[in-house]
Amino acid sequence: MVPTTIDIFIVDDNEDISAMMQSVLQFAGYSSNVFTSKTHFLQALNSTKPRLIVMDMLLSGADGRDICRDLKADPGTRDIPLMMISAHPDAEETCRQAGADEFLEKPFEIDALLAKAALLVN
Amino acid sequence: MKTASTNAYSFATILEKSGNAGKLLLQQAGMPGNIEPVENWPVALRIAFATAVANFSPQVLTWSAAQFFLPNNAALELLKKQNACTFMGAAFASLPQELREAIANHSITPASPVYDEYGIANGELIHLQPLAASGGKARVAIPDLYHVIEIAPVPAALYLGEEMWIELANAEVLKIWGRDKSVIGQRLEDALPELRTQPFIQLLKEVYRTGKPFEGKDVPAWIETDGRIEMTYFDLIYKAVHDHTGAICGVLAMGYNVTQQVLARKQLEESELRFRNTVLQAPVGITIFRGPDFVVEMANEAYLELIDRPEKDFVGKPLFEVLPEVETFVKPLLKNVLRSGEPAFGVEFEVPIKRHGKIETTYFNFVYQPMREADGSIGGIIVIASEVTRQVEAKKDLEATARQFRHIVKQSPIAMTVLRGPQFIIEMANDELLQNIWRKNESEVLGRPLLDVFPELIGQPYPRLLEYVFTTGVTHREKEATADVVGNDGLRRFYLDFEYSPLFSPDGEISGIMITVYDVTENVVVKQKIQDAEERVRFAVQASELGTFELDFSTNAFSTSDRFRRVMGLESAEDLSHAVVLARVHPDDLPIRNAAMAKALTTGNLEYEVRITPTASSQTWIRVKGKIRFDATGQPLKLSGGIMDITHEKLAHALVEESERKLQDLANSMPQLVWMSEPDGSVSYYNDRVGEYGAVMKDGRWNWEPIIFEDDFPATTSEWERASIEKIPYTIEHRLRMADGSLRWHLTRAFPQFDASGNVVKWYGTATDIHSVKSVEERTIGILDSITAHIAVLNREGIIIAVNRSWNRFGDENGASALENAWVGQNYLEVLRNSSGEYAEEAPVVLAGIEAVINGKVDHFSLEYPCHSPSKNRWFLLHVSLLQYENGGVVVSHTDITDRRVSEEAMKKSEEKFRSLSNSVPQHVWTADANGSINFYNQSVFEFSGLPMEELKGDGWTRLIHPDDLTENIRRWEKSIGESEPFLFEHRFRRHDGEYRWHLSRALPQFDEQGILQMWVGTSTDIDDIKRHEQQKDDFIKMASHELKTPVTSIKGYIQLLQKIYQGTAHNTLNNYLSTIDKQVQKLTKLITDLLDVTRIETGALQLFPQSFDMNELAASMVQDLQHAVPTHRISLQTTGPAPVVADQDRISQVLVNYITNAIKYSPAADTVIVKVDRQGSEIVVSVQDFGIGIAPSEFQRIFERFYRAQGKEEQTYSGFGIGLFIVQEIISRHNGRTWVESEKDKGSTFYFSLPVNLS
């Protein structure tokens, strides 16, 4: 049952949302891993290179924008498309400044999620 | 990652509330062979199970290699027959065959993997075919709702069933009820019997029955707490709760205790009312203007009086329509206040105002204070004004008087100078002084210290005297003092009569010295010469001796004494004949001798003076005196007599004659009338000036009487008698009649001349024309006449010698004769009599005061006294000061201070009222003096602080302020005091129990009529509860809207996922439900966004991203979108032309959506909504018109307020938070646009907004 490749890493400490996103992405045919902490996410990133990272802006104990900046500065990860999500509507500007390729405001239409994911994965 | 233990409670709680599945799991997990107890579960499993349990469709979760069986509620229901309950948590392998088959049969899709937190699939989620919708149980399936209710800081309760069984009551609601958890499970009316007589249970049942939510603001409720029933106010929301079939199963009740706010608002309303009342009665003019046309909102009595307009003609009208005459003066100021937001101040501001039918020039002191609305904009202007016309006019009069005074001094024939300050800077000096005494140009002396200009004075006594006068304020006079003055023509010695008088500044300090000088040098020189001459005469007389002789007529024998012979120069004495003696007489003088002898033969007395020549070269004057004796027949017998050498006397006489001639020449050249008189007053000499006077000579004798003015005659006579008896110099001012009959003022002086034994032998007198000086005085009286105070000048005896015009008018009003100077000559005591002839109560005090001034005991004396005539109550200020003039006297002034007293008394009364009022106010009320030192607190301060006045007065209040607020507090307060600006500050005060509570303090400066700061009136209102609640509310809304987004995001995601899954399938009911849920979630999303917008507006965090676009296009696209969603109404769009704007397109869309959805919502019976876009001048105006229920005009303003909701007919209500239009207004006003509404009840409404046209 272990998937051979993982399309998308979902980083969100809210388990409900991450589970929902996983379900939606799964419905659209993507495989995904959910991470609720920065540490595990970064560990997994060492061994697996997903086709897309979907990350909440505010994680418990970490700022998604800082992680984003680090990833975009690292030659090993800078090519992985990164989509930032947040319930804060005014966060788009700062997320994009941090290097995010896309931004999605919560609550979102799943069509929007899927459209943006499709755009970035391809 | 969160650890299991910290989360055990919440997960277990969720399970408890998660129906049968959760309860079974809690019981069976950890049993032998079963899955571990839930507290040991990894997070991933907990999430997976909680998600499954929350799902309405049947799902079975399996976990770990053992594939523990974890069905959700729906799956338990589905697999009821297979006894699935028993096997909750058991290993899959241990399930009965029948159950495993049932699971396989119902499975609809491939099982989805469930991952652990390491990303490894460690379980599966099996989706089962659901049962057809069943009746189900009246039960809410979302465990999160319970949790949210539990933790909400708002009182919330859930009632189930028609009987309102208490299913859930959170801690907040229990606190309000004063009950504990034991009420849960009871019927509401049993648990809280006090509610039976109140409408709430009825309302809840109504919501349950109709499904229509109930929302109420400030709903009063009687709640029993600690055995006391208290009135409490709530904002209430009752909403029906539906079960998963859509049927109503209960009511969710949320309430927000707003008691404090309601009470505080009521108090504020009352205090506002009090404020208005106070303002209306204030003794200064107060008015409020609103809007760009300065429409008068209110004006108090005092203001209406100032402008002489009745209230009905003023209030409610634009200012310049009512007072067009002030427009040019006042409008620029008012506009500037509106524009800048800065207050404007005016001091003695000149304004023409039409009063009593004519334009008067008036002067005002005023403050124009901008009045800020809650949003910071300036909505109007408060004007506080007091009229100072009378003061300004008086000041102008005074200035004119001062100018005139300088002029007078300058022109005065008496030398004068004014020295200022301790350096004795020469401020002014008149021509008389400059030309005749100082002999310097004005430019050489003005502005320089006296001793710099005249260093020769150092060493003379004058600097010391000036010092003395300057420090003591005592006038110094001296006569015939010698002064050596170096002028431009060298040093000269002067004899001067002078006077140093102190000059006082208005505050009573000595500011300088006025010097008047009268040059008496010539008089003194003459006098000294006369003295010299007399000395010499006396000496001659003493040196003379008598020689004697005898002649016998019958024998012609002539015998003489030795002294006779020595005088005659006849040494051989034996044969001295009469002829020989006669031969010695100067031939020219013999006729004198012969005539004298001839006369003596008749009269018997011989006397003559002749020259003799004792030697050929010398000449001697002799006086001969003798007596002839006769016989019985009349024949002369003998002549005996004596001779005296009077040569010295004759020389002296010649000298005297010479000097008298000189004196006469001098006297004739003097501008005065000069005379000399005998001790008895008979005039023996006078100079040529006599010709200028009237009939002074009568029958060849000098006669004073005809030339002295009759009125002055008695004083002249009595003064003369006094001087002649006391042998002192005589001085009087009196009017003398001139040759042309005119009367001119003269200063007449006479100095006695004494002989060696101290007897008066002569008087030397002068009469100086001082008419010009006197007329100066008369002009001064003229100045006095222009002063409104009543002024009387008294002599030392208390007789009124002059009064000004005001005095006469005053006398007139008080019944005295209106004749000019009717008072003059009366004793001042008469003034102190009232109309019935009795002395006023104050009379003794006044007399004592006048006496003290005359005797130099005090500088001045003042007294305020009432002078109440039957028709009028009046007050006067009496002021007595010493007349700065020879022979003293005093100046008495009476100033009418009725106005001041009346306003003072009104103030006093209003202050008493204020005190009693303030003690009944729940706020802290305090007052401070002009320096900011606190001098009054109302009772509430003492109760709050637990401290007495002694500890709080002055700066004592600082000990109540929270240390963190103190520095800023003091800075602001001092700034307010320094600038006389209102004080407004939020700070914490320590209560008697040590708790600090937030207060809003405001203080307004109070000015008197002159615009001088009198005091501060302040209030401090306890806003601790309001502040805390506001903060809690804002925090909660912020937190809630953010937090709500999270569950909404996942709900929305799942719904849309489900919609995708079932799209196009035959599951019509499911699809219908899903689209209903989706719609509701959209609504919920909008509510959350709105709430967040409100907090962002309130905290100023609403960001705009403007771009340029055409309003027509935006409106068209919005109409099109909404038309799709709304089949009930036809939305038509009318445009007129290009409508370019620069705005945040998303926000303007939000406004349009809000207007259009409102139009649809409030016109359920209509089918049309009209949207118009129109350019009007520099604005693009967008309107949305409906044909619905309409709005009453009284609500036009309120509907744009926050949390305001329209009220329908009867119980008809409209859902929503009531913040849509508030947000609209904020968005539009941030774009510099306007929002408004036109409406007619039951006809429909048109909502407008405007934006500035993009001109570029």
Side-chain angles (χ1 to χ4, degrees):
Chain A
M1 273 191 256
V2 178
T4 48
T5 60
I6 293 296
D7 293 325
I8 298 171
F9 277 9
I10 301 169
V11 191
D12 193 330
D13 59 352
N14 187 303
E15 294 138 1
D16 289 340
I17 303 231
S18 49
M20 182 273 287
M21 284 195 286
Q22 190 171 33
S23 304
V24 169
L25 292 167
Q26 186 192 346
F27 172 82
Y30 299 105
S31 63
S32 59
N33 273 4
V34 170
F35 302 93
T36 53
S37 83
K38 175 187 173 184
T39 325
H40 290 124
F41 160 63
L42 292 178
Q43 266 171 14
L45 209 54
N46 282 332
S47 53
T48 314
K49 191 177 173 187
R51 294 165 70 194
L52 170 66
I53 299 167
V54 177
M55 181 160 60
D56 189 31
M57 187 182 80
L58 293 174
L59 302 166
S60 35
D63 188 324
R65 287 167 292 196
D66 293 340
I67 302 171
C68 177
R69 255 188 290 272
D70 292 345
L71 294 180
K72 290 298 179 187
D74 183 344
T77 54
R78 73 155 59 118
D79 299 332
I80 308 171
L82 196 150
M83 187 194 316
M84 207 77 106
I85 54 173
S86 174
H88 203 282
D90 299 333
E92 176 162 2
E93 210 181 326
T94 55
C95 286
R96 288 196 186 270
Q97 278 164 4
D101 299 287
E102 266 303 341
F103 177 84
L104 195 58
E105 186 189 330
K106 292 177 185 174
F108 48 78
E109 308 291 317
I110 65 171
D111 284 342
L113 172 67
L114 293 175
K116 290 190 177 196
L119 196 75
L120 291 175
V121 166
N122 299 320
Chain B
M1 194 175 70
K2 292 167 189 162
T3 63
S5 58
T6 57
N7 241 353
Y9 170 75
S10 64
F11 185 55
T13 311
I14 290 169
L15 290 180
E16 265 173 31
K17 306 286 183 188
S18 300
N20 212 11
K23 283 180 188 142
L24 285 171
L25 185 61
L26 284 171
Q27 287 162 15
Q28 296 175 25
M31 280 167 57
N34 280 5
I35 194 164
E36 278 190 280
V38 291
E39 54 266 34
N40 297 338
W41 283 18
V43 169
L45 176 57
R46 294 203 318 247
I47 296 163
F49 185 76
T51 315
V53 147
N55 215 314
F56 294 129
S57 56
Q59 289 175 344
V60 173
L61 180 67
T62 64
W63 188 252
S64 86
Q67 292 185 291
F68 291 113
F69 172 61
L70 303 166
N72 72 353
N73 285 315
L76 281 175
E77 186 75 19
L78 179 71
L79 305 168
K80 203 159 53 183
K81 279 187 197 143
Q82 287 77 26
N83 237 351
C85 305
T86 323
F87 301 98
M88 169 62 85
F92 204 83
S94 66
L95 303 188
Q97 182 63 27
E98 187 196 14
L99 180 53
R100 280 189 283 174
E101 277 173 12
I103 294 167
N105 290 342
H106 281 92
S107 169
I108 45 168
T109 52
S112 30
V114 177
Y115 301 94
D116 66 12
E117 52 260 66
Y118 306 105
I120 296 158
N122 200 12
E124 285 186 323
L125 188 64
I126 304 162
H127 301 276
L128 304 183
Q129 176 82 46
L131 288 171
S134 70
K137 279 205 161 179
R139 185 85 200 172
V140 179
I142 304 173
D144 276 0
L145 177 61
Y146 283 80
H147 187 55
V148 168
I149 291 175
E150 274 301 344
I151 63 159
V154 173
L158 176 63
Y159 311 111
L160 291 183
E162 230 184 319
E163 296 289 278
M164 298 295 135
W165 294 92
I166 302 171
E167 170 72 5
L168 194 59
N170 71 0
E172 293 291 319
V173 89
L174 290 174
K175 209 156 74 191
I176 290 172
W177 289 350
R179 308 295 205 279
D180 59 24
K181 284 253 178 207
S182 64
V183 298
I184 293 175
Q186 296 186 41
R187 285 199 315 170
L188 182 59
E189 58 185 303
D190 297 335
L192 288 97
E194 67 264 31
L195 290 185
R196 284 181 192 164
T197 54
Q198 301 186 47
F200 304 106
I201 294 175
Q202 210 47 48
L203 284 168
L204 286 166
K205 288 185 173 171
E206 193 73 14
V207 171
Y208 187 90
R209 198 172 54 76
T210 62
K212 283 184 182 156
F214 166 79
E215 289 187 32
K217 271 186 83 69
D218 301 346
V219 181
W222 294 100
I223 296 287
E224 188 179 335
T225 337
D226 303 331
R228 283 193 309 164
I229 291 188
E230 283 184 343
M231 174 74 95
T232 316
Y233 293 89
F234 291 97
D235 284 357
L236 289 178
I237 303 173
Y238 292 167
K239 280 197 150 164
V241 175
H242 301 77
D243 65 17
H244 67 271
T245 66
I248 293 168
C249 64
V251 179
L252 177 65
M254 308 250 280
Y256 182 52
N257 186 344
V258 292
T259 310
Q260 298 274 14
Q261 286 94 313
V262 171
L263 292 180
R265 202 172 58 230
K266 289 191 171 182
Q267 284 165 8
L268 279 176
E269 279 165 10
E270 280 171 26
S271 103
E272 165 77 1
L273 189 70
R274 268 195 291 273
F275 164 75
R276 291 188 82 92
N277 284 340
T278 312
V279 161
L280 285 173
Q281 292 158 11
V284 290
I286 300 178
T287 181
I288 296 176
F289 305 137
R290 276 214 183 263
D293 294 333
F294 306 110
V295 173
V296 180
E297 186 179 88
M298 62 77 63
N300 70 353
E301 277 298 313
Y303 194 86
L304 294 169
E305 237 168 72
L306 288 183
I307 54 163
D308 189 33
R309 302 286 196 283
E311 186 166 29
K312 66 176 172 49
D313 292 353
F314 188 60
V315 173
K317 306 243 162 82
L319 174 65
F320 301 121
E321 223 175 271
V322 197
L323 285 175
E325 64 267 29
V326 306
E327 183 161 12
T328 46
F329 294 78
V330 172
K331 198 173 186 178
L333 287 169
L334 289 174
K335 286 204 143 175
N336 194 43
V337 172
L338 277 193
R339 193 172 54 239
S340 68
E342 296 292 327
F345 298 90
V347 177
E348 294 175 6
F349 189 80
E350 186 181 329
V351 189
I353 288 187
K354 193 169 180 187
R355 292 199 286 207
H356 320 298
K358 61 174 203 272
I359 296 277
E360 291 178 7
T361 301
T362 59
Y363 297 86
F364 285 90
N365 288 349
F366 64 78
V367 187
Y368 292 164
Q369 187 74 38
M371 208 162 60
R372 290 191 185 275
E373 305 296 326
D375 63 358
S377 67
I378 298 166
I381 296 175
I382 298 185
V383 177
I384 301 168
S386 58
E387 185 172 359
V388 292
T389 307
R390 271 180 38 195
Q391 288 87 329
V392 171
E393 279 171 356
K395 205 163 85 177
K396 288 194 163 178
D397 283 351
L398 264 179
E399 279 164 7
T401 308
R403 261 204 315 279
Q404 220 165 336
F405 167 73
R406 293 180 71 88
H407 187 67
I408 288 166
V409 169
K410 207 70 190 133
Q411 300 296 313
S412 165
I414 295 171
M416 287 178 174
T417 180
V418 172
L419 308 180
R420 284 285 172 197
Q423 300 281 315
F424 305 122
I425 308 285
I426 300 166
E427 187 180 83
M428 60 177 296
N430 68 356
D431 296 345
E432 184 72 19
L433 183 70
L434 286 167
Q435 287 164 14
N436 296 334
I437 298 177
W438 285 357
R439 292 158 291 135
K440 284 182 191 292
N441 292 327
E442 197 169 37
S443 58
E444 295 173 78
V445 300
L446 285 198
R448 296 181 58 198
L450 181 72
L451 295 183
D452 282 9
V453 179
F454 301 104
E456 66 271 20
L457 288 179
I458 300 168
Q460 299 188 41
Y462 306 107
R464 194 179 46 77
L465 283 171
L466 286 169
E467 207 73 53
Y468 171 77
V469 173
F470 192 78
T471 42
T472 60
V474 176
T475 302
H476 178 83
R477 291 186 198 89
E478 226 172 280
K479 287 191 186 302
E480 296 176 9
T482 45
D484 296 324
V485 180
V486 178
N488 292 340
D489 53 358
L491 179 98
R492 263 180 68 186
R493 166 156 292 198
F494 286 92
Y495 295 92
L496 304 173
D497 287 358
F498 68 86
E499 178 173 307
Y500 293 169
S501 339
L503 295 172
F504 295 92
S505 61
D507 57 6
E509 294 291 311
I510 300 166
S511 64
I513 295 177
M514 173 147 162
I515 304 182
T516 47
V517 181
Y518 194 73
D519 181 359
V520 294
T521 308
E522 288 178 349
N523 297 6
V524 172
V525 169
V526 167
K527 225 158 70 182
Q528 281 184 346
K529 279 184 180 163
I530 292 168
Q531 276 172 4
D532 289 353
E534 299 225 334
E535 287 288 315
R536 275 200 298 274
V537 169
R538 208 161 27 247
F539 177 76
V541 169
Q542 281 168 357
S544 69
E545 277 180 40
L546 211 62
T548 53
F549 66 90
E550 199 175 74
L551 174 66
D552 189 331
F553 285 102
S554 55
T555 62
N556 216 15
F558 192 69
S559 59
T560 62
S561 69
D562 288 351
R563 173 76 190 142
F564 182 92
R565 283 194 296 273
R566 242 186 343 269
V567 169
M568 296 300 284
L570 300 166
E571 297 303 325
S572 50
E574 306 310 316
D575 50 353
L576 192 64
S577 71
H578 189 212
V580 172
V581 172
L582 285 178
R584 291 282 168 134
V585 175
H586 195 288
D588 292 354
D589 293 346
L590 263 179
I592 297 172
R593 183 256 161 204
N594 294 339
M597 198 59 187
K599 192 182 170 192
L601 287 170
T602 319
T603 63
N605 284 327
L606 178 72
E607 188 176 357
Y608 62 90
E609 286 171 8
V610 289
R611 284 168 293 178
I612 56 167
T613 49
T615 62
S617 59
S618 69
Q619 190 171 308
T620 305
W621 276 94
I622 55 164
R623 182 182 294 139
V624 181
K625 276 191 175 182
K627 258 198 161 13
I628 296 174
R629 274 173 285 135
F630 297 92
D631 64 11
T633 63
Q635 288 299 313
L637 293 176
K638 267 183 182 172
L639 164 67
S640 53
I643 63 164
M644 191 165 48
D645 183 342
I646 58 164
T647 312
H648 289 301
E649 190 181 323
K650 276 289 181 189
L651 281 175
H653 190 70
L655 264 175
V656 168
E657 275 182 348
E658 168 75 11
S659 88
E660 284 205 347
R661 206 182 66 243
K662 274 188 193 161
L663 179 67
Q664 280 170 27
D665 287 348
L666 187 73
N668 282 335
S669 71
M670 281 173 81
Q672 295 108 321
L673 172 63
V674 180
W675 44 267
M676 213 178 340
S677 77
E678 299 308 311
D680 65 357
S682 59
V683 173
S684 52
Y685 168 78
Y686 44 86
N687 69 350
D688 291 349
R689 298 267 160 187
V690 72
E692 293 170 14
Y693 297 84
V696 68
M697 301 306 288
K698 194 179 168 193
D699 305 332
R701 278 175 55 92
W702 179 280
N703 190 357
W704 276 110
E705 208 175 326
I707 66 161
I708 294 171
F709 179 49
E710 298 76 32
D711 289 2
D712 300 337
F713 198 79
T716 306
T717 316
S718 69
E719 186 63 22
W720 167 245
E721 277 167 8
R722 192 168 75 93
S724 55
I725 290 165
E726 296 177 20
K727 302 177 184 171
I728 53 167
Y730 162 79
T731 306
I732 192 157
E733 284 181 17
H734 51 186
R735 280 157 286 185
L736 299 186
R737 188 166 281 117
M738 308 303 287
D740 63 1
S742 67
L743 289 173
R744 290 181 71 82
W745 278 99
H746 281 73
L747 171 69
T748 297
R749 293 173 176 212
F751 297 94
Q753 182 79 37
F754 301 100
D755 62 13
S757 49
N759 294 318
V760 176
V761 289
K762 267 201 166 60
W763 290 89
Y764 294 97
T766 58
T768 311
D769 185 331
I770 55 163
H771 199 72
S772 57
V773 181
K774 265 292 180 188
S775 66
V776 166
E777 280 178 12
E778 275 164 6
R779 254 141 76 195
T780 310
I781 288 286
I783 295 164
L784 291 181
D785 278 348
S786 67
I787 295 173
T788 48
H790 315 136
I791 295 175
V793 183
L794 315 189
N795 66 9
R796 296 181 65 93
E797 281 70 48
I799 305 297
I800 298 173
I801 56 176
V803 297
N804 72 345
R805 198 169 295 147
S806 293
W807 180 284
N808 280 321
R809 278 203 294 267
F810 163 61
D812 189 21
E813 281 172 29
N814 283 276
S817 163
L819 285 175
E820 193 80 358
N821 288 334
W823 285 96
V824 173
Q826 292 207 42
N827 193 306
Y828 183 75
L829 270 170
E830 295 309 306
V831 179
L832 298 171
R833 282 187 203 271
N834 63 16
S835 47
S836 49
E838 288 158 359
Y839 286 114
E841 208 180 308
E842 296 79 11
V845 184
V846 174
L847 285 184
I850 293 175
E851 246 173 55
V853 174
I854 288 177
N855 297 333
K857 283 181 191 147
V858 290
D859 285 349
H860 65 269
F861 166 77
S862 307
L863 179 75
E864 290 186 8
Y865 67 95
C867 179
H868 300 333
S869 69
S871 59
K872 219 170 173 185
N873 281 356
R874 302 181 72 171
W875 280 88
F876 286 93
L877 170 66
L878 169 97
H879 187 89
V880 182
S881 55
L882 193 64
L883 185 59
Q884 299 288 329
Y885 200 75
E886 249 181 310
N887 288 330
V890 289
V891 178
V892 182
S893 68
H894 296 253
T895 313
D896 188 337
I897 52 160
T898 310
D899 290 352
R900 202 194 80 209
R901 285 297 293 227
V902 165
S903 54
E904 267 174 15
E905 302 209 331
M907 279 284 247
K908 225 184 255 173
K909 266 188 208 154
S910 124
E911 197 179 307
E912 274 162 24
K913 223 194 269 177
F914 169 76
R915 271 167 202 264
S916 66
L917 196 78
S918 66
N919 276 332
S920 64
V921 174
Q923 282 122 314
H924 308 324
V925 179
W926 43 272
T927 64
D929 63 21
N931 299 320
S933 177
I934 306 235
N935 49 22
F936 168 77
Y937 291 105
N938 70 346
Q939 201 51 37
S940 122
V941 177
F942 305 126
E943 282 164 11
F944 176 86
S945 65
L947 294 176
M949 184 65 189
E950 292 71 55
E951 297 195 42
L952 290 176
K953 68 183 174 195
D955 289 339
W957 56 273
T958 52
R959 64 170 64 191
L960 292 182
I961 307 297
H962 193 284
D964 292 351
D965 303 337
L966 188 57
T967 313
E968 179 64 8
N969 191 157
I970 290 173
R971 193 187 69 76
R972 296 265 207 109
W973 178 227
E974 284 175 352
K975 185 169 182 282
S976 288
I977 293 164
E979 297 171 4
S980 300
E981 288 271 340
F983 169 78
L984 186 65
F985 195 55
E986 283 189 11
H987 46 181
R988 285 160 285 181
F989 279 108
R990 195 184 61 221
R991 199 164 60 185
H992 55 82
D993 59 1
E995 187 189 326
Y996 281 98
R997 292 183 66 81
W998 280 101
H999 282 72
L1000 173 67
S1001 291
R1002 25 188 323 147
L1004 292 174
Q1006 311 288 314
F1007 300 95
D1008 69 4
E1009 280 174 61
Q1010 282 79 35
I1012 293 160
L1013 179 63
Q1014 290 294 295
M1015 65 182 297
W1016 292 82
V1017 177
T1019 57
S1020 298
T1021 310
D1022 187 331
I1023 53 162
D1024 202 69
D1025 292 324
I1026 297 171
K1027 212 174 157 72
R1028 210 172 54 234
H1029 286 138
E1030 286 283 328
Q1031 185 60 44
Q1032 276 177 359
K1033 189 205 72 198
D1034 282 353
D1035 288 351
F1036 176 65
I1037 290 176
K1038 229 157 140 181
M1039 184 273 290
S1041 55
H1042 268 107
E1043 291 302 305
L1044 283 171
K1045 279 186 175 181
T1046 306
V1048 165
T1049 304
S1050 64
I1051 292 167
K1052 188 168 170 173
Y1054 280 122
I1055 290 162
Q1056 294 185 345
L1057 183 58
L1058 285 173
Q1059 282 178 317
K1060 282 198 185 297
I1061 293 169
Y1062 292 103
Q1063 214 166 28
T1065 67
H1067 299 287
N1068 288 339
T1069 317
L1070 180 66
N1071 276 327
N1072 280 344
Y1073 288 173
L1074 285 174
S1075 83
T1076 306
I1077 297 169
D1078 190 38
K1079 250 189 270 168
Q1080 291 299 323
V1081 171
Q1082 300 287 12
K1083 269 192 193 166
L1084 186 57
T1085 311
K1086 184 174 179 310
L1087 287 178
I1088 294 164
T1089 319
D1090 281 356
L1091 266 182
L1092 201 57
D1093 280 347
V1094 170
T1095 46
R1096 281 198 286 178
I1097 284 166
E1098 286 182 348
T1099 55
L1102 183 74
Q1103 281 189 330
L1104 296 181
F1105 301 98
Q1107 57 192 103
S1108 81
F1109 62 90
D1110 192 295
M1111 183 59 78
N1112 293 332
E1113 288 166 23
L1114 181 73
S1117 112
M1118 298 311 301
V1119 167
Q1120 197 182 357
D1121 286 358
L1122 286 163
Q1123 187 67 77
H1124 282 305
V1126 184
T1128 54
H1129 291 67
R1130 198 174 63 81
I1131 310 170
S1132 73
L1133 174 67
Q1134 301 173 6
T1135 61
T1136 54
V1141 291
V1142 173
D1144 185 324
Q1145 203 164 342
D1146 290 343
R1147 291 295 179 188
I1148 301 302
S1149 305
Q1150 197 179 340
V1151 171
L1152 265 172
V1153 169
N1154 202 300
Y1155 271 9
I1156 297 172
T1157 50
N1158 270 352
I1160 292 162
K1161 184 169 159 188
Y1162 293 108
S1163 64
D1167 59 359
T1168 309
V1169 170
I1170 301 168
V1171 180
K1172 283 184 193 162
V1173 180
D1174 190 17
R1175 179 173 171 160
Q1176 293 176 6
S1178 59
E1179 287 183 321
I1180 300 297
V1181 176
V1182 180
S1183 64
V1184 176
Q1185 186 179 10
D1186 69 50
F1187 303 91
I1189 59 172
I1191 304 159
S1194 59
E1195 301 195 277
F1196 284 4
Q1197 269 307 312
R1198 294 191 58 203
I1199 53 171
F1200 287 101
E1201 285 171 15
R1202 196 176 52 149
F1203 300 127
Y1204 180 79
R1205 290 183 56 249
Q1207 195 68 49
K1209 279 181 191 157
E1210 289 148 21
E1211 67 270 38
Q1212 187 183 9
T1213 57
Y1214 297 91
S1215 66
F1217 281 175
I1219 50 183
L1221 287 176
F1222 171 69
I1223 294 168
V1224 162
Q1225 193 182 36
E1226 283 301 317
I1227 290 172
I1228 296 300
S1229 86
R1230 287 281 305 275
H1231 281 88
N1232 298 319
R1234 301 178 294 127
T1235 51
W1236 70 100
V1237 62
E1238 289 168 2
S1239 182
E1240 205 175 326
K1241 202 78 185 150
D1242 299 325
K1243 294 261 171 74
S1245 311
T1246 309
F1247 279 80
Y1248 297 87
F1249 72 85
S1250 71
L1251 293 174
V1253 172
N1254 177 17
L1255 296 168
S1256 56

